[in-house]
Amino acid sequence: MAMLIRIQVLLLLLCTVTATDDSEAETEAEALLRWKSTLINANSLSSWSIANSTCSWFGLTCDTAGQVTELNLLSAGLNGTLDALYSPAFQNLTTINLCNNSLVGTIPANISMLRTLTVLDLSINNLVGDIPANISMLIALTILDLSDNNLTGAIPYQLSKLPRLVHLDLGDNHLTNPEYAMFFTPMPRLEFLCLSNNHLNGTFPEFILNSTSLRMEYLDLSANALSGPIPDSLPEIAPYLRYLFLSSNGFHGSIPNSLSRLQKLQALDVYENNLIGEIPEELGNLTNLKALVLSRNRLVGSLPPSFARMQQLLFLGIESNYINASDTPHHDSNLRGLDISNNNLLGNFPMVLRNLSELKVLNLGYNRISGEIPSWWESEKDVQDIFSSVAQHIVGDGCRTDFWRGNWLPRGGSITNNWPILFSFVGRTKITVAQGLTNNRWVRDLQGSLSNRALADYLALWDELQLVSVQSGQADSVLWRFSTNGVFSVSSAYKFFFSPSIRCPHGELIWKTKEPAREDNVNLNVQDDAVAPSSNIPSLAINGVDTSGGAGVGPEQGLCA
């Protein structure tokens, strides 16, 4: 009897404890506030307070029942870890987007217990350590983006178990090869795969070649240490491929003719590999192609005449090969960027460029072109407008920087953009900074009676110019905003024209490339050639220094040799 009583008491205590646990279960609001308390200076989360309804908190989305379904805190300035993020209170959470913050530490394994997740984006942070293999338990996941972190270790083969995954981006980490033999039928719905800028080696990844998915549209394996031939079977593996990036690897052999069967391809980048032979004539069948980058290989011969069929092509890069024909295909084109520098071009200035009315960036440097640049080359205005918008001129002696149009002002910008009303009173003139500042020569370029608004601009410009001092003997320079070292490269111009500035949130991506910056020269580069420029040539930059306003040095310009 005594034993029975003790058992009943024990059962009662257990029931009491269970009831207490249920009544004290953490709510969603409490869980989020607990995580917030671990963050440093979470100023963007000021609305996260028990004084406010949870569904009104910044970055949260709720369903009709008032339960949190989405946590969207991209670019929110968060600094801290993910260790305290998980809570069993999140029963309906489908989206975690913490892209572009300053999160540190590892990815906690318990994040895999959020079984309702369909989107997990932790990209562009400072996370370290391995990718937890049990992320494969998130079987509802459609988007997994862990790119731009400092993750290490092998790519977990368990990710191949994610049956609904559409978008997988592990680029810009320090990841190594997965255990290919352990891959299952990999990710049958996968459309986007980026493994760029990691430490993958060996031949073309086997799990891609063994894939049964026919949905792949985007494949980026650039900036790894992959080698061997580019597989002939890609059109059968990924017939709907639109973007293929294989740059900065060690692929060798010829460019497969079979790539011409990728009829939906819009961007093909094999920059900086060990490819040899001639450019296949069949590539001209890629009539949807917008960007073709074959630079820095060992290709020979000439550009195939079939390229004339690629009417949608916007950028063509064949720099640093052994191409020996001086003409590109003869057709009117939408081509905006052409880099054919460092090849074996011979003869006169390529006359076919006359048909390229949309051209913005041209590099012909390091060839053996001779003769005069023809007078019909009149693309200076478009090229200069594009270049000026993304280049900062550093004034030295002021002899090579355009006074009115260059981005050289101490507080940033150009006179043209900062004071457009005043600039409308400037005649058809082009003077350098040194010329304009000598005895206030710039004032004489103003024509007519200034309006009240123009007069205000005039006074503001006068004050700005008091901050300027030129330095005799020190050449002007140009700081290009889209390369890490500030030096212009055609590849960085390619990115500027055609790639998005940030990859989150997940919208439609035009294309991206992971090409390393190259120290090429700007626009019309005829360095080391025997070309005599005519008066109409767009002399925007030679050797990385702006020369668009450097012609016609007058007697007032005592600083310039």
Side-chain angles (χ1 to χ4, degrees), residues 318-525:
I318 51 177
E319 172 253 339
S320 295
N321 282 290
Y322 300 97
I323 304 300
N324 55 31
S326 61
D327 270 356
T328 54
H330 291 257
H331 67 101
D332 293 328
S333 167
N334 293 316
L335 203 66
R336 299 181 187 178
L338 173 61
D339 184 357
I340 198 169
S341 63
N342 199 19
N343 278 283
N344 292 329
L345 302 189
L346 297 170
N348 295 325
F349 189 86
M351 297 298 291
V352 71
L353 295 178
R354 189 167 193 168
N355 300 324
L356 305 181
S357 57
E358 298 297 320
L359 202 62
K360 301 291 189 296
V361 176
L362 171 65
N363 193 344
L364 297 176
Y366 298 98
N367 283 289
R368 287 180 283 175
I369 301 173
S370 59
E372 288 192 352
I373 296 176
S375 59
W376 46 260
W377 180 258
E378 297 178 347
S379 65
E380 176 177 6
K381 182 181 184 300
D382 286 341
V383 175
Q384 181 169 319
D385 287 347
I386 293 291
F387 180 82
S388 296
S389 67
V390 291
Q392 176 66 45
H393 301 266
I394 310 301
V395 173
D397 57 18
C399 298
R400 294 187 174 184
T401 299
D402 190 318
F403 177 86
W404 292 107
R405 300 168 185 83
N407 280 349
W408 64 275
L409 294 172
R411 296 190 178 101
S414 65
I415 297 173
T416 307
N417 293 330
N418 292 2
W419 296 288
I421 302 299
L422 177 66
F423 183 73
S424 68
F425 287 85
V426 175
R428 295 176 60 88
T429 182
K430 183 178 289 186
I431 59 174
T432 66
V433 170
Q435 289 173 320
L437 295 180
T438 302
N439 299 322
N440 294 319
R441 159 75 173 77
W442 65 274
V443 175
R444 283 183 275 168
D445 286 353
L446 300 174
Q447 300 179 356
S449 300
L450 300 184
S451 64
N452 290 338
R453 177 65 184 275
L455 183 59
D457 286 354
Y458 173 90
L459 296 175
L461 174 57
W462 185 279
D463 289 341
E464 179 88 4
L465 296 180
Q466 306 313 302
L467 304 175
V468 179
S469 61
V470 295
Q471 303 176 48
S472 178
Q474 181 173 329
D476 298 346
S477 60
V478 175
L479 180 65
W480 180 254
R481 298 176 185 172
F482 288 94
S483 63
T484 56
N485 59 3
V487 177
F488 175 89
S489 69
V490 172
S491 64
S492 63
Y494 161 46
K495 296 177 190 179
F496 165 67
F497 282 124
F498 308 124
S499 66
S501 60
I502 193 166
R503 283 179 287 140
C504 58
H506 302 279
E508 182 174 354
L509 185 60
I510 298 177
W511 68 70
K512 71 173 183 176
T513 179
K514 296 291 184 181
E515 300 172 25
R518 307 200 312 274
E519 295 187 2
D520 298 330
N521 294 308
V522 176
N523 173 36
L524 181 55
N525 183 330

Side-chain angles (χ1 to χ4, degrees), residues 77-278:
L78 304 181
N79 191 332
T81 74
L82 298 172
D83 295 342
L85 178 60
Y86 169 75
S87 171
F90 300 127
Q91 294 294 309
N92 294 282
L93 190 60
T94 62
T95 298
I96 295 179
N97 188 346
L98 302 176
C99 169
N100 196 30
N101 283 287
S102 299
L103 299 173
V104 296
T106 60
I107 300 174
N110 60 10
I111 205 166
S112 65
M113 297 173 69
L114 299 171
R115 302 296 174 83
T116 54
L117 275 185
T118 60
V119 175
L120 177 58
D121 187 349
L122 305 177
S123 62
I124 317 181
N125 281 286
N126 299 307
L127 300 172
V128 297
D130 294 346
I131 298 174
N134 58 1
I135 283 182
S136 62
M137 297 169 65
L138 299 173
I139 59 173
L141 211 58
T142 60
I143 293 175
L144 176 60
D145 193 341
L146 307 178
S147 62
D148 286 287
N149 282 286
N150 293 302
L151 301 174
T152 56
I155 297 172
Y157 68 84
Q158 291 88 345
L159 295 182
S160 65
K161 297 179 180 180
L162 293 169
R164 300 181 183 178
L165 199 63
V166 174
H167 180 115
L168 175 60
D169 193 346
L170 305 178
D172 291 282
N173 283 290
H174 307 284
L175 301 170
T176 57
N177 293 23
E179 296 181 53
Y180 292 132
M182 300 295 292
F183 260 78
F184 299 86
T185 302
M187 299 164 282
R189 299 187 182 183
L190 197 64
E191 297 177 6
F192 181 109
L193 176 61
C194 178
L195 303 177
S196 66
N197 202 21
N198 278 290
H199 301 309
L200 306 184
N201 57 26
T203 57
F204 202 92
E206 294 177 23
F207 78 93
I208 298 176
L209 297 178
N210 295 331
S211 173
T212 58
S213 171
L214 299 177
R215 302 189 180 193
M216 184 87 71
E217 296 184 6
Y218 183 106
L219 177 59
D220 188 352
L221 301 176
S222 58
N224 281 288
L226 299 171
S227 58
I230 297 174
D232 277 318
S233 56
L234 275 178
E236 285 69 47
I237 296 167
Y240 298 106
L241 205 60
R242 294 194 294 161
Y243 309 103
L244 177 59
F245 300 102
L246 304 176
S247 64
S248 300
N249 278 289
F251 291 116
H252 57 72
S254 59
I255 298 174
N257 296 342
S258 62
L259 293 182
S260 63
R261 299 202 301 273
L262 293 169
Q263 288 294 300
K264 295 184 180 295
L265 205 62
Q266 296 184 30
L268 172 60
D269 185 355
V270 294
Y271 169 92
E272 198 174 48
N273 280 282
N274 296 312
L275 301 175
I276 60 174
E278 296 188 349

